[in-house]
Amino acid sequence: VPELTNNKCVVIPNALTFDKTSDNSILQFKERNVLIVSRLNDDEKRISLALRIWRLLLDRGVKDWTLTIVGTGPHEEKLKSLSQDLNLENVSFVGRQQSEPYYEKASIFMMTSAVEGWGLTLTESMQRGVVPIVFNSYPALSDIITNDYDGCIVPNNDLYAYADRMIELMGDKEMREKIARNALESCKRFEPDKVISKWLELIETT
C-alpha cells in the first residue's frame, strides 16, 4: 500500500458572497437582534436546537432581544409548532427573503448545524459585522473563525454553553463590537481576488 502524503492536497476556501464588506460604521445601526439564515431542514441545520437555546435565554431573563429566522424548508411547520410548544417570545419566521437587510441590522448570528461543508452564511455575517456563534461541529469551521476573536465556537451539542455565550455577548456591547470589528477585517482573507490567486497558484504549479 503506498504511503499516504499530504503533498498533493491543497485547501482553497470559498470566496465571499457580498461584493463589498461593510466598514465599522455599520455597527452604529445594529439592533438587539439575533439572526438565523438557513434552509429549514432540521436534520442538517438543527434549528430546533436554536429554539431550545432561545427558551433557555428567556428563562434567564432575556426579554429585550429578538430572534429572526430567514429561510424556508421541509421542516418549517414543524419548527413553528415547536416554537409554540416552547412558548417562545420575540421569535419571527420571515420565510424566503433577501438576507442582506437582515444581516445589516442583526448583532449576533446563530449557526447550530450538525455539519457544513464551508458555511457561507458565516462569512456573510462577518461581512456585515454580525458576531457568529457556532457549534464546533465540522472541521472547516476553524478555517473561518478564531474563537473569541472574530466569532465564538461552542462545544458541539452543549446548549447551556451556547446560551451562556449568547448572554455574555448580549450583555457586553463593547466586547460584541470588538469581535464584530475583527470579523469585518478577518473575512477579507476570503475576498474573490485572494481566492482566485490561490487557484492560479495551484494551476501554475501542477
Side-chain angles (χ1 to χ4, degrees):
V1 179
E3 182 181 354
L4 295 176
T5 63
N6 291 325
N7 62 355
K8 293 186 179 180
C9 296
V10 176
V11 176
I12 298 177
N14 283 7
L16 296 175
T17 304
F18 302 131
D19 291 339
K20 294 183 179 180
T21 296
S22 300
D23 59 35
N24 290 339
S25 65
I26 195 173
L27 301 182
Q28 65 185 301
F29 302 108
K30 294 300 182 181
E31 300 176 356
R32 291 177 177 266
N33 176 252
V34 178
L35 179 64
I36 294 172
V37 178
S38 177
R39 177 168 167 75
L40 302 186
N41 182 333
D42 206 48
D43 297 335
E44 300 171 0
K45 306 301 184 179
R46 302 194 300 189
I47 307 300
S48 59
L49 297 188
L51 296 177
R52 296 185 188 281
I53 292 166
W54 195 256
R55 181 67 262 171
L56 295 176
L57 298 178
L58 293 173
D59 290 343
R60 292 173 60 176
V62 175
K63 302 293 184 182
D64 57 346
W65 283 73
T66 58
L67 172 62
T68 303
I69 301 172
V70 179
T72 60
H75 297 141
E76 182 173 356
E77 294 307 316
K78 169 187 170 183
L79 292 167
K80 288 179 177 178
S81 294
L82 177 61
S83 180
Q84 293 178 347
D85 292 343
L86 292 172
N87 295 315
L88 297 186
E89 302 171 12
N90 302 327
V91 176
S92 299
F93 289 82
V94 299
R96 189 188 305 275
Q97 304 287 340
Q98 289 292 329
S99 61
E100 193 166 1
Y102 292 91
Y103 284 118
E104 290 173 352
K105 293 183 179 181
S107 294
I108 298 172
F109 183 82
M110 290 183 79
M111 178 179 278
T112 50
S113 300
V115 67
E116 293 279 349
W118 177 254
L120 282 173
T121 56
L122 288 185
T123 50
E124 288 174 0
S125 69
M126 295 167 78
Q127 278 193 275
R128 294 295 176 261
V130 191
V131 176
I133 177 167
V134 195
F135 278 130
N136 192 9
S137 60
Y138 68 101
L141 176 60
S142 60
D143 293 324
I144 304 172
I145 292 175
T146 299
N147 188 36
D148 292 338
Y149 175 73
D150 51 12
C152 302
I153 301 174
V154 178
N156 194 23
N157 297 315
D158 192 336
L159 275 61
Y160 290 94
Y162 203 116
D164 288 344
R165 197 70 181 98
M166 287 190 68
I167 285 176
E168 188 177 7
L169 287 171
M170 289 171 167
D172 191 336
K173 183 180 179 182
E174 183 177 347
M175 177 183 66
R176 194 170 68 239
E177 290 189 346
K178 180 179 179 181
I179 296 174
R181 287 193 296 271
N182 291 341
L184 286 167
E185 187 61 33
S186 71
C187 72
K188 294 176 183 177
R189 295 170 289 153
F190 310 122
E191 289 174 341
D193 288 351
K194 294 174 183 176
V195 174
I196 290 170
S197 293
K198 290 181 181 292
W199 279 107
L200 290 174
E201 181 181 356
L202 175 63
I203 292 168
E204 291 170 356
T205 55
T206 55

